[in-house]
Structure formats: C-alpha cells, structure tokens
DNA sequence: TTGACATGCAACCATTTGGTTGCCTATAAA
DNA sequence: TTTATAGGCAACCAAATGGTTGCATGTCAA
C-alpha cells in the first residue's frame, strides 16, 4: 500500500539477518518456484521451522508464493533487495560510486578524443 | 584474521538488522568521528544501550573507534557494506548489473567511434 | 474410499536481544 | 584537590526469536 518507507526497510533487513533465511533466498535464486518441502532439504530443522522462516520472508516481501494443488510454490522477489541496495547501501559505497564515475569519465574522455 | 567468509557476513547482516544501529551509521555517515555522547543525542534510550549498539557495530567491523582523552571517537567503516553489496546483493540485482553493463558497453562503443 | 503426502495451526520452550539501573574509573576543568 | 564530565562494567528484566512437538486440514493416487 504505502510506498517504500523505512518500516519496509526494517522488515527486509530483519529478514536478511538470519543465515538460514539468506540460504533459502540463495536456493530460490538458484532455482525459483520451489515447494516448502524442497526448501526444507538440507536445512537442519523441522518443516515447521522452515515454514516460519518462509513466512518472515513473505512478510518482508522478499518471497511470494502460490498454492498449486497441495503444494505451495515459492518465488524470490528481488525488488526489496534492489531498493535497499540503491537507496541505502549505495550511500556508504563511495568506492563503487567513484569507480563508476571514473569509468564514465574515462570512457567519455576517450569518446571525445 | 580470516578473509571475508560467511560468518563475517552474518555479523554484518545482524548488525544492520536494528533500526537504531542503522540510524547510528547514517549519522556517522553524515558526520564522522562522533563521540558516544553525541551518538546518544536524539536516540530515546540510555547511554549504556547506545554503547551496546556501538559494540555490536564494532564487532561487525562496521565502526572503528579511537580513544582520545576521555572521549571515544567513532568512525564508520564502509568496507563490510561494500563487500555485502558486491558479493551478495548484486547476485539478486539483475537490473543494476545490466544497467552498469549497458553503460559500460555504450561508453566503450563511443570510445571506439 | 482409503491412505499417503504437503501443508497449516497452535502451544510450548530456551536462548538471544534490547533495554534498564547502579556503580566504578578516568580525564578535564575549577 | 575537588568537581564535573565521558565512558566502562555487571546484574537484571521483558519481549522477541528460533526452534520444537502434536494435531488438523486439504489434495492426490490406488
């Protein structure tokens, strides 16, 4: 509803704070549309614990899901991560920004030669 | 000691999970080298609570500090945030990467004209 | 229809987290 | 040498977090 505010950031940052949840995002990134059962594999915890993590990822809008028959498919949503990277992290990222600026300047300089 | 591993990521992500700590980083970004007392101003919590947050930021290597007389000056360290942005978030950031690649290609194309 | 499978829901538990208060130490200033 | 200021340390507390177990529900297949 409300456009991106700091509260949304908070949910995303907190969702990303747990290594198991980051691993789930990794695995969804490797193969999108996995079921809850598939996400459970390789994680040393019960299915219910995984379901809770997934719920937190969904609340942060990092994962969306779709019920298909008796299965629930999960899809990663890169938008909130993008938003954080662009609006928050890039503030602290002088090196990257400067490197990009330098690259642009260098190449534009070449263009004018 | 050990180069950047996932355990380091974990400390950084968890340090970033708290809104008060992100605010402290914001404020250090706005003006570097603040004392503990200065960092306390405007935060609705005791100095001791702020000191704990600072300790967490220091353990995550996001902030370094230097004792100067009876004051302790705090400095933001952008390296871990850079590292996360580049190694972890950019994986999910197709748009940004593509935009950067496009820019590079465009400008290099100009250079060859 | 009956059984197996995928998921949901709720109660419960231990540990971590974010905060407090109280007191101590060190340095600067009067 | 007092006194005020900046910070450190430790005990304590409530709430959030990450996990469990037990059971219920919905759907596919034999």
């Amino acid at each position: 509803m409300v456009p991106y505010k700091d509260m949304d950031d908070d949910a995303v940052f907190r969702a990303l704070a747990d290594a198991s949840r980051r691993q789930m995002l990794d695995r969804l990134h490797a193969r999108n549309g996995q079921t809850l059962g598939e996400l459970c594999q390789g994680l040393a915890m019960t299915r219910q614990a995984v379901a809770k993590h997934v719920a937190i990822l969904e609340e942060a809008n990092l994962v969306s899901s779709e019920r298909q028959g008796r299965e629930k498919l999960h899809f990663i949503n890169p938008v909130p991560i993008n938003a954080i990277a662009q609006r928050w992290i890039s503030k602290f990222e002088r090196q990257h920004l400067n490197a990009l600026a330098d690259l642009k300047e260098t190449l534009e300089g070449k263009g004018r030669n």
Side-chain angles (χ1 to χ4, degrees), chain A:
Chain A
M1 286 293 171
V2 179
Y4 288 110
K5 283 193 176 181
D6 218 42
M7 255 189 60
D8 299 315
D9 269 9
D10 197 61
V12 175
F13 272 115
R14 282 166 53 174
L16 293 178
D18 186 273
S20 301
R21 290 194 288 267
R22 292 197 302 277
Q23 189 180 338
M24 291 179 198
L25 289 180
D26 273 338
R27 294 170 65 175
L28 283 180
H29 181 253
R31 187 166 63 83
N32 215 5
Q34 295 189 56
T35 67
L36 180 60
E38 288 171 325
L39 285 175
C40 287
Q41 290 168 11
L43 288 176
M45 66 184 75
T46 61
R47 173 182 55 81
Q48 286 85 346
V50 174
K52 281 190 183 182
H53 283 303
V54 166
I56 290 172
L57 290 171
E58 290 187 346
E59 277 170 27
N61 202 30
L62 285 163
V63 161
S64 63
S65 63
E66 183 184 330
R67 196 69 191 256
Q68 198 134 32
R70 65 178 166 182
E71 294 183 335
K72 187 187 171 200
L73 305 180
H74 298 84
F75 303 89
I76 193 172
N77 176 19
V79 172
I81 292 183
N82 271 286
I84 279 186
Q86 289 175 13
R87 296 191 305 99
W88 199 85
I89 290 179
S90 60
K91 282 200 304 187
F92 302 98
E93 210 184 345
R94 287 284 157 245
Q95 257 184 300
H96 187 189
L97 292 178
N98 290 343
L100 180 55
D102 288 352
L103 172 66
K104 191 179 174 191
E105 196 174 354
T106 298
L107 295 175
E108 282 177 348
K110 280 184 184 174
R112 289 194 194 92
N113 276 350

